[in-house]
Amino acid sequence: MNRLLQGDVGSGKTIIAFMTMLIAIDNGFQACIVAPTEILAMQHYRGMCGFAEQLGIRISLLMGSTKLSKRKDILPLLKSGAVQILVGTHAIFENNVVFKALGVAIIDEQHRFGVVQRAKLWAKNKVPPHILIMSATPIPRTLAMSLYGDLDISLIDKLPPGRKPIKTIHKYESGRLSLFHFMKKQIALGRQIYVVYPLIEESRTLDYNNLMEGYESLDREFPKPEYQISILHGKMKSKDKEFEINRFQKVETHIMVATTVVEVGVNIPNASVMVIESAERFGLSQLHQLRGRVGRGSEQSYCILMTGFKLSKDAKTKIETMVHTNDGFEVAEVDLKLRGPGDLMGTQQSGILNLKMANLSEDQHILKLARDYAQKILSEDKDLNFPKNLPIKNTYQQIMKYKGIWQNIS
């Protein structure tokens, strides 16, 4: 299996991942799930521990911050097969992480990993494990490759019952006071709010607000003790991040000021407003992921995109797309047009791919037809030895002289 599971944020991809791992364990294999951040890895681990305990399954957590003494406990148990599920971050890619029999590897929020990183999982077993990659917004390159048949696609096209579509609103800086008024009304209703900034510290070249300035501004507008504000960014220690997330989960704070560290995995059903500052500076994939942090409860949720007045053509397209649709695949299609699909035979993640004839975002039906014909040819003549197929074989052999890395694409 080399499959993309596409489902919008909050649609239930994680439980499907867990059930997939159970199938591998039932057949005597181990399983792993890799997440891009420690926050998300810890959330997966906690969520699965309850199920695993009831089923008598041994599950471990391995991250960059995992202490050496703990690693010394985990790694031998993993190598012996005693650890059946390993949850972790990029730390799982390390060479000293050895499985006895890895049957399935799951990559969550796959747009946050490089192609070479993902390929490392294939080397974790003599027979490459099944690969399931999950995403709410496929990066353009992955979307393009799926058209070429390297990935099968499974879709979750519904949200859990009771969820309301998130209302996305675009505001300019002139709407700041009305935004503060709206935030106070939401807090009065018992809701919580994320405010996300693109930078942690000031940049000499970029003129948009950074996290610390934003925090100070909100601190003046939302004074203590009536309002409590948490702060979360990537430079904080793991225990400090965990402390702030726990405070927010317990509704001890009303507003969480953060960087994109909250882009994936943070699950707070009571948070109903996502304010994204300098939204024009984010990619479409990031904007959609950030929006997915709200709308996880039964209450109406909102995503407010704050921008400057001067917007480029691409920035306007991004903002208009976000306001127009909540559909992850539609967002990915626009992303594909804006960024290009990357190099199909290499490791470049995005950029313009100059095909002589086809346009990957407009000619999907033709590309699907071409793929179907290719599969038919290979089913009849897998070695391409029939006279009519020799031109195809010769072309393929020429490509392989210069691009001999197809096996590393995942």
Side-chain angles (χ1 to χ4, degrees):
M1 177 173 72
N2 196 28
R3 183 173 293 274
L4 167 66
L5 175 61
Q6 159 70 24
D8 231 328
V9 277
S11 62
K13 297 184 293 295
T14 308
I15 198 67
I16 289 177
F18 185 68
M19 293 168 77
T20 304
M21 292 192 281
L22 293 183
I23 295 169
I25 291 165
D26 278 348
N27 286 279
F29 288 92
Q30 294 164 290
C32 74
I33 179 164
V34 187
T37 66
E38 294 200 349
I39 292 171
L40 181 53
M42 280 169 9
Q43 186 167 296
H44 279 322
Y45 177 69
R46 285 178 185 151
M48 292 177 183
C49 269
F51 295 123
E53 195 175 309
Q54 291 178 58
L55 295 166
I57 290 169
R58 190 160 189 171
I59 181 169
S60 290
L61 176 66
L62 183 66
M63 306 187 295
S65 65
T66 304
K67 291 180 180 176
L68 190 60
S69 57
K70 186 70 175 170
R71 284 172 182 253
K72 285 180 178 176
D73 291 337
I74 294 170
L75 295 181
L77 293 171
L78 189 68
K79 194 172 183 179
S80 70
V83 169
Q84 293 160 290
I85 295 177
L86 184 64
V87 181
T89 58
H90 299 70
I92 290 179
F93 298 132
E94 293 170 11
N95 292 333
N96 64 342
V97 178
V98 179
F99 294 82
K100 183 183 180 184
L102 181 61
V104 62
I106 295 168
I107 302 165
D108 196 12
E109 305 296 354
Q110 59 82 29
H111 64 285
R112 297 283 290 269
F113 292 96
V115 178
V116 175
Q117 284 177 314
R118 297 201 296 271
K120 282 184 177 180
L121 286 173
W122 279 9
K124 294 287 182 186
N125 209 48
K126 288 179 183 176
V127 177
H130 294 288
I131 301 282
L132 176 65
I133 60 179
M134 306 194 299
S135 182
T137 309
I139 53 171
R141 185 175 174 281
T142 306
L143 186 63
M145 282 182 58
S146 69
L147 297 171
Y148 274 75
D150 297 273
L151 290 167
D152 293 315
I153 297 180
S154 292
L155 290 176
I156 308 173
D157 57 5
K158 290 182 175 68
L159 287 174
R163 298 271 177 95
K164 294 177 182 174
I166 300 161
K167 289 183 180 177
T168 304
I169 300 155
H170 175 212
K171 281 183 177 287
Y172 294 106
E173 189 58 40
S174 57
R176 176 75 56 189
L177 288 178
S178 67
L179 171 66
F180 286 156
H181 180 66
F182 174 72
M183 289 167 68
K184 285 173 181 174
K185 280 177 68 176
Q186 287 292 307
I187 292 169
L189 291 169
R191 313 279 175 261
Q192 290 166 283
I193 299 166
Y194 295 103
V195 181
V196 176
Y197 289 85
L199 280 185
I200 296 175
E201 294 164 351
E202 254 185 72
S203 165
R204 291 177 184 175
T205 54
L206 299 174
D207 61 358
Y208 50 92
N209 290 335
N210 63 60
L211 182 83
M212 300 317 295
E213 274 184 0
Y215 175 77
E216 287 162 11
S217 169
L218 286 165
D219 203 35
R220 289 190 295 272
E221 186 65 34
F222 295 86
K224 295 182 182 71
E226 187 180 356
Y227 301 101
Q228 296 293 326
I229 303 175
S230 351
I231 191 163
L232 188 71
H233 58 75
K235 291 190 176 181
M236 291 166 66
K237 292 178 180 175
S238 289
K239 63 179 181 181
D240 294 331
K241 287 181 192 172
E242 197 172 347
F243 174 74
E244 290 296 345
I245 289 169
N246 285 339
R247 286 178 70 209
F248 198 58
Q249 277 178 327
K250 292 172 185 173
V251 201
E252 291 174 5
T253 58
H254 305 102
I255 300 171
M256 177 174 280
V257 181
T259 58
T260 52
V261 73
V262 299
E263 181 187 335
V264 293
V266 179
N267 185 17
I268 316 281
N270 191 52
S272 64
V273 181
M274 167 63 73
V275 179
I276 305 174
E277 297 285 351
S278 303
E280 70 272 24
R281 306 286 185 178
F282 292 87
L284 255 179
S285 164
Q286 278 187 313
L287 289 172
H288 184 65
Q289 286 287 342
L290 287 168
R291 175 168 59 185
R293 295 310 102 212
V294 295
R296 290 171 168 258
S298 57
E299 302 300 330
Q300 180 62 59
S301 291
Y302 304 86
C303 177
I304 316 289
L305 306 174
M306 299 297 294
T307 72
F309 284 104
K310 291 182 180 178
L311 295 176
S312 67
K313 185 180 176 183
D314 281 1
K316 284 179 181 173
T317 302
K318 283 190 290 188
I319 301 299
E320 286 166 5
T321 302
M322 288 292 294
V323 172
H324 164 70
T325 184
N326 280 307
D327 185 293
F329 249 123
E330 197 172 334
V331 169
E333 289 288 350
V334 177
D335 207 16
L336 179 64
K337 289 175 183 174
L338 290 176
R339 294 204 297 158
D343 178 1
L344 288 171
M345 289 182 276
T347 54
Q348 182 184 331
Q349 287 282 18
S350 66
I352 302 304
L353 178 65
N354 293 318
L355 297 178
K356 288 182 181 178
M357 295 173 67
N359 181 314
L360 284 172
S361 60
E362 294 174 6
D363 301 329
Q364 291 188 28
H365 63 293
I366 299 172
L367 293 164
K368 185 179 184 304
L369 198 63
R371 183 180 68 182
D372 292 343
Y373 272 116
Q375 288 173 333
K376 185 181 177 187
I377 289 167
L378 289 171
S379 67
E380 294 171 349
D381 179 20
K382 68 175 184 177
D383 295 321
L384 299 175
N385 288 329
F386 292 179
K388 65 178 182 179
N389 294 331
L390 287 178
I392 300 172
K393 187 174 186 176
N394 291 338
T395 302
Y396 173 72
Q397 287 172 340
Q398 285 298 313
I399 290 170
M400 287 303 288
K401 284 180 185 177
Y402 307 104
K403 295 279 187 180
I405 59 168
W406 286 84
Q407 69 276 13
N408 291 330
I409 293 173
S410 53

